[in-house]
Every structure is written in C-alpha cells, then in structure tokens.
Amino acid sequence: MQYLVSVIDDKTDSGTEEEMVAIRAFNERLRAGGHWVFAAGLAAPETSTVIDARGEEPVFTDGPFVESKEHMAGLWIIEAPDLDVALELMTAGSKACNRRLEVRPLLFV
Amino acid sequence: MNPVDAREAITLAHFAEWARVVASLARRFGDLDVAEEAAAEAFATAVERWPVDGVPPNPGAWLTTTANRRAIDRIRREHKRLDKHREAMLLTDDTPPEPLGAIDDDRLRLIFTCCHPALAMEARVALTLRLVGGLTVPEIARGFLVQEPAMARRITRAKGKIAAARIPYRVPSAQDLPARITGVLAVLYLVFNEGYLATGPDTDPVRADLTAEAIRLTRLIRMLLPGDGEVAGLLALMLLTEARRPARVSTAGELVPLGEQDRGLWSEALIDEGHRLVRERLASGVAPGRYQLLAAVNAVHTDARDARDTDWSQVVALYDQLVRLDRSPIVALNRAIAVAELDGPDAALPIIDRLESALQGYHAFHATRAELLRRLGRPGESREAYDRAIALAGNSAEIAYLAHRRDDLD
C-alpha cells in the first residue's frame, strides 16, 4: 500500500537548515525500513502552469489551479502495510520537517 | 414455537451476539461493509425462521454461520469471476469455533477500528453505534437529530475511508494502547452525554436509549479490558450519573439541580455498582485518571443521603487533582462551583470571572455566575447572566429551569 504525504505550508522557501538536516535523517530512516518510494520539495505555487488539452488546442494558463492560503510545499510517497504504520512514520516526518502533513492513500500502483 | 418467545430470543441474541458476529466476519472477510450487511441479513433471516423452526440451541453459532454464508454469497455476486482458489478458500475456511479469548479480541479490534483517530468524531460515534452497538441507522439518526440519509452517508463514508486508507483491523500496540483507549472512551462518553443532556428544542431532555447504549458498550469494554482504570472510571461515572436520572427532570419538564433532587428516586442498584468500581480503583493504588476522578466526585455526591451532607471539601480536593490532569476551563468552572459550596459565593466568583474569556460562549458559565450573583444579593447582574445562559442553552429542561430561576429574582 502506498500513501502520498503532502507537506502543508503557508509560506514558500521557508525551510531552515536545521529542518533540512532533520528531514535527511528522517529519509534515511524511511529507506532503512523499506518505506521509501519518493520525496521532493516543490517550488512556489506561483511557478506552476495549468494545461487543458481537452479541447482541440491545448490551453496553458498561469497556475496555481486553486488559490488558497495554504499549499503543498513538498511530498513523500511512502510504502506502508496500513494507515497506522503510515501515521506513525509520518508523525516523525511532521516533527522532522516541522510542518503539518496530509496522508492520503494512492489508489493503486 | 411461540412467536413471542422467538422474538424475545432474537432480541436477546441481538444484544449478546451482534458485535461478535460483525467482528468475526470483519476479521474473516476484511471488509466492514460485507460484515455489517451479512450480519443484518442473518438477523433478518432469524426473524423469519426462528418462529417457524424454533430457536436454535446455539443462537450465536447459528447467526455466525448464516452470516458467513450471506457474506460469501455477496462476495460471489460482486466478483462473478472470483478465482477458483479464493472461492475454495472462503468455502472451506470453516475455522473451528474460536476460543473465547480470540472472539473477544475480534470485538476489541472492531471497537478500535470504529474509534480510529483518523476518522472524524461524529463518524466514530455513528460507526460504533452501528457496528458494535447494532443500532439501526434510523435509531442513530434519531439519537443525534440528523436526517436518516445524512446519517447513512456518514456511516458509508467512514467505512469507505477505513477500506481505502487501509485503517487496520487490530488491537493497537502496547505503546499506542493507552491513547487509543482514551479515544474509545471519549466516543462512549459523548454518546452518554448526548443522551443525558440532549440538545434540541423539540427533543426529550433525556434520551435514555443513548445513555443505556453507552453504558452497555462501556460494560463490554470493561469486560474486554478489565485491568484498565479509566475504563472502570468511565463506567462508574456513567452509572453514578444515570442513577440520578429519575430525579433529574421535574414533572413540569424542568431540570432539577443536584441539590434539590429527591434522592429517594435515585437508583440504589446503580449507585452500589458505581461505588464498588470507585472503591476498586482506590484500592488499586494506581494514580487515577480523569474519568476515575470524575467518578469519585460523583461517588461523593451519591454518598450523601441529603444534599446538606455533601462532603464539599472532598469534592474540591478531587477537582484540585483533576485540574492538574486537565487544564480545561470547564474543569476549572466545576471546581469553582464546589468552592462556592465550601467557602461561599464570594470566594468562587473571582475564580469564575477569570474564566470569562474562555467560557463566554458556554451556557453553564453564565448559569453559574447567575446563581452566585443571586446568592450575593446582586439581582440585576444575576438577571443579565441568566438571560445569557438561556440564550446559549440547548436542553429544553435546562432552559425551563433557568427561566424559572430568573423569574424568581423578582
């Protein structure tokens, strides 16, 4: 079972060096436990571009696709047998990156 | 077979076996939806068959077997191309009757799954009442003044999340257990309180079906976790509160405060049982948690055969302990009420006034202030406080009582 973990933030480029050290250590723990699939930080939401190719001509618009006070600042994809394991792992992840996280199951991979 | 006897047997079996049937199916099939529907169908089949065929010698086993067959039928229907191997597994998986311990574990698993912290509180309440308590969706909807389709959606959505996010069906690890038990007890206490102080203008001030169900489920958890002090504490708290229910609302539909209740109406059997539990916890020598302290407060109240005999210094001492565990302003308010009885309203009013910023939206804060101001001979301020309490209160009997007290100021 895989889960998408979104990092919730209301600022951009707000990570500190201390947080980065803690995140690296946490990622090592994910790898050692066989839970690591992927992780990345994201550039500011204003850098995004929305594509709509449902019509004849693709349309590109300046993103983000939803304006909100909070946004996704980074993500993990983790492997865990069930939600309890995912929540326990990412409780440590929330401490490491010092942000709130949203844990959401992937449908099927 | 006498149809009345059969109906009674079904009612009894529903009380005794519903959670067990759902829990064992949930473990076997790993799907709460299948478990719930198959259990409901098995009971519906019993309603048809038992009056005709007689009550089976072991109703629980009959219901489990019937429900298992229904579950397999449903899985077959849904997976028309169910692979032969899995079908054979389902059909031949006639595991011998579980030893008692394992069956109990099934019910505990079910309770912990329904009360999982990843579910919204209202979903936990609804799921627990449906899957563990066996209440029907219309019964739960009535209990919480929600339209039936909305309640059905709430339950469906919660089951959907459990399946999709893979909320596990198991008893939490020893490390997580205390926090998860606290979560389960919070659900049961909420059900009890909603019954005991029901909200809504056109509803009974006390909904005894909810308080009874909360007590029944807490008894079940007490049986499954007999060593847990807070489980015993919550059960004692509920019993000692429920014991006073017959005296709590006057024939005129007004709430009767503790000090004015006819204590002869209190249930001695419930008080005895509650006191036994409180004594058992005291004898354990383990530091009491929140529910045990609240139960002890209620034990002090129910010890006094006359309100004037209440040992208020003991009540204040218990609240002093509770304040250290629970910083909530509501606990501080209840402590101040006890201080008013022990040291007088002039000692309590400053404590209460300090809580205003936290509790100005809470009717009991204004009701308490109103009462103290009345006793201090400040009727104008007292009236204002009653008005604010009445505007915020949700329970019809409480509103009637507060209005009566306000009008007595004249």
Side-chain angles (χ1 to χ4, degrees):
Chain A
M1 181 86 180
Q2 295 190 339
Y3 297 87
L4 167 68
V5 181
S6 310
V7 180
I8 305 163
D9 205 348
D10 55 6
K11 296 178 284 296
T12 52
D13 288 330
S14 63
T16 67
E17 192 50 45
E18 251 178 1
E19 287 162 5
M20 284 316 297
V21 171
I23 291 169
R24 268 185 227 113
F26 172 72
N27 285 343
E28 274 317 304
R29 216 185 107 187
L30 283 183
R31 285 200 185 86
H35 299 292
W36 168 275
V37 179
F38 180 75
L42 293 176
E46 302 77 55
T47 62
S48 65
T49 307
V50 178
I51 306 172
D52 186 352
R54 291 171 299 179
E56 269 176 34
E57 289 292 314
V59 179
F60 302 108
T61 44
D62 193 14
F65 79 103
V66 271
E67 291 285 353
S68 66
K69 206 166 146 290
E70 292 178 306
H71 60 267
M72 183 167 160
L75 65 122
W76 274 276
I77 293 173
I78 60 164
E79 179 73 48
D82 60 49
L83 187 67
D84 276 3
V85 176
L87 293 180
E88 199 198 328
L89 286 169
M90 295 321 294
T91 300
S94 168
K95 274 199 189 3
C97 72
N98 194 27
R99 301 283 186 285
R100 290 188 299 142
L101 302 178
E102 182 196 83
V103 176
R104 189 163 161 186
L106 296 191
L107 270 182
F108 190 72
V109 186
Chain B
M1 184 72 204
N2 183 338
V4 177
D5 290 346
R7 250 203 316 278
E8 199 170 310
I10 291 163
T11 308
L12 281 175
H14 195 264
F15 261 135
E17 306 292 347
W18 168 271
R20 225 191 285 267
V21 174
V22 174
S24 78
L25 262 65
R27 178 178 48 75
R28 184 163 165 194
F29 297 100
D31 186 321
L32 286 178
D33 219 19
V34 167
E36 179 197 342
E37 195 178 282
E41 283 179 18
F43 278 93
T45 309
V47 170
E48 274 173 36
R49 298 308 321 163
W50 292 7
V52 183
D53 302 346
V55 178
N58 183 343
W62 188 97
L63 287 162
T64 304
T65 308
T66 307
N68 265 315
R69 282 200 204 111
R70 295 304 167 102
I72 291 169
D73 285 348
R74 171 167 162 186
I75 291 170
R76 274 217 204 99
R77 269 199 315 276
E78 286 180 3
H79 309 263
K80 288 210 177 74
R81 299 165 67 87
L82 188 69
D83 74 79
K84 292 284 177 237
H85 176 66
R86 187 162 148 71
E87 178 159 349
M89 289 249 304
L90 284 175
L91 286 173
T92 54
D93 180 10
D94 275 324
T95 32
E98 301 277 338
L100 193 64
I103 293 176
D104 288 348
D105 275 359
D106 278 347
R107 281 181 296 176
L108 262 188
R109 278 189 207 113
L110 182 63
I111 289 164
F112 280 114
T113 304
C114 291
C115 295
H116 197 278
L119 300 170
M121 193 59 172
E122 56 181 26
R124 291 182 224 172
V125 167
L127 266 189
T128 304
L129 290 175
R130 175 71 192 124
L131 295 181
V132 188
L135 269 60
T136 62
V137 172
E139 282 168 339
I140 303 168
R142 252 198 323 280
F144 287 88
L145 307 178
V146 171
Q147 296 289 317
E148 268 179 52
M151 185 55 82
R153 274 197 303 279
R154 191 181 289 178
I155 293 173
T156 304
R157 187 168 169 262
K159 285 188 295 192
K161 174 162 180 182
I162 288 171
R166 205 176 287 175
I167 287 179
Y169 188 61
R170 65 158 175 263
V171 174
S173 65
Q175 181 199 331
D176 294 340
L177 197 59
R180 293 290 302 278
I181 291 175
T182 304
V184 170
L185 298 183
V187 167
L188 298 176
Y189 195 35
L190 191 150
V191 172
F192 183 84
N193 279 331
E194 186 53 30
Y196 199 68
L197 200 63
T199 47
D202 300 315
T203 179
D204 285 340
V206 177
R207 285 202 287 269
D209 46 346
L210 285 184
T211 58
E213 186 59 23
I215 289 174
R216 196 172 77 83
L217 292 174
T218 310
R219 279 189 200 284
L220 171 65
I221 294 175
R222 158 104 178 133
M223 196 181 78
L224 300 173
L225 297 167
D228 189 279
E230 282 294 83
V231 174
L234 180 61
L235 180 57
L237 172 60
M238 287 179 178
L239 293 171
L240 294 174
T241 311
E242 178 77 358
R244 306 196 299 261
R245 185 162 59 80
R248 201 156 165 275
V249 179
S250 72
T251 43
E254 273 182 32
L255 198 81
V256 183
L258 189 56
E260 293 164 30
Q261 287 177 11
D262 176 357
R263 298 187 173 210
L265 294 175
W266 289 0
S267 159
E268 275 185 43
L270 293 180
I271 289 174
D272 286 347
E273 192 186 352
H275 284 189
R276 266 200 305 282
L277 286 165
V278 171
R279 280 197 300 274
E280 177 194 310
R281 291 315 305 161
L282 281 173
S284 78
V286 180
R290 186 171 163 255
Y291 294 119
Q292 290 164 79
L293 287 169
L294 286 170
V297 167
N298 281 275
V300 175
H301 286 307
T302 44
D303 247 347
R305 296 316 292 167
D306 186 305
R308 283 166 301 191
D309 299 336
T310 306
D311 183 352
W312 287 105
S313 64
Q314 185 65 31
V315 175
V316 172
L318 288 164
Y319 272 118
D320 284 342
Q321 279 194 65
L322 188 55
V323 165
R324 284 196 286 274
L325 289 183
D326 184 345
R327 297 265 163 205
S328 108
I330 293 180
V331 173
L333 175 68
N334 287 321
R335 182 185 165 278
I337 294 171
V339 168
E341 298 301 326
L342 186 66
D343 298 328
D346 45 345
L349 192 60
I351 306 177
I352 285 172
D353 283 341
R354 281 199 292 277
L355 300 170
E356 178 166 12
S357 60
L359 293 180
Q360 55 186 330
Y362 182 45
H363 72 276
F365 167 78
H366 299 286
T368 307
R369 268 195 92 237
E371 182 61 28
L372 296 183
L373 289 164
R374 189 182 58 75
R375 285 197 227 166
L376 288 167
R378 290 155 67 176
E381 292 162 273
S382 176
R383 172 183 304 282
E384 270 175 43
Y386 275 123
D387 285 339
R388 295 184 68 181
I390 290 164
L392 291 165
N395 180 276
S396 53
E398 198 167 13
I399 291 169
Y401 167 75
L402 291 169
H404 181 174
R405 289 299 270 180
R406 180 192 57 193
D407 298 341
D408 273 354
L409 282 168
D410 296 323

